Amino acid sequence: MFEQLVEIITEYVEVDKKDISLESRFMEDLGFTSFDFMNMLGEIEDRFDVEIDQEEAADIRTVQEAVEYLESISE
């Protein structure tokens, strides 16, 4: 799941894959705007065929949190 998420992240922000870790914060470390983040969530919904709760998504700050959330709704 982490590797797939890294692929998607690099489509939205100019960051090298090797610079993305589980601890990376979307806004502070990776340079996401809220608009980028919401667009990325839409892409994730399409790719993984899941529905992301917008209120829960608002609490996602790090790549680790995103991976854990996606794993919890993909089961």
Side-chain angles (χ1 to χ4, degrees):
M1 181 67 69
F2 173 71
E3 292 80 14
Q4 293 167 299
L5 190 55
V6 167
E7 290 292 326
I8 295 171
I9 289 169
T10 58
E11 293 175 18
Y12 287 88
V13 291
E14 295 284 326
V15 64
D16 198 303
K17 291 177 185 177
K18 67 177 175 40
D19 294 330
I20 302 172
S21 69
L22 287 170
E23 294 79 31
S24 296
R25 297 169 297 176
F26 286 101
M27 307 292 184
E28 297 87 342
D29 300 327
L30 302 177
F32 271 80
T33 65
S34 54
F35 183 74
D36 293 331
F37 189 72
M38 296 312 287
N39 283 330
M40 182 190 69
L41 293 180
E43 173 83 16
I44 290 169
E45 286 180 325
D46 292 343
R47 283 215 199 165
F48 295 104
D49 195 29
V50 295
E51 178 120 4
I52 296 174
D53 181 281
Q54 297 303 317
E55 287 185 24
E56 290 181 25
D59 293 331
I60 296 172
R61 303 277 182 255
T62 66
V63 174
Q64 171 98 37
E65 290 171 355
V67 168
E68 289 171 357
Y69 178 73
L70 291 172
E71 288 175 344
S72 76
I73 64 171
S74 298
E75 297 172 345

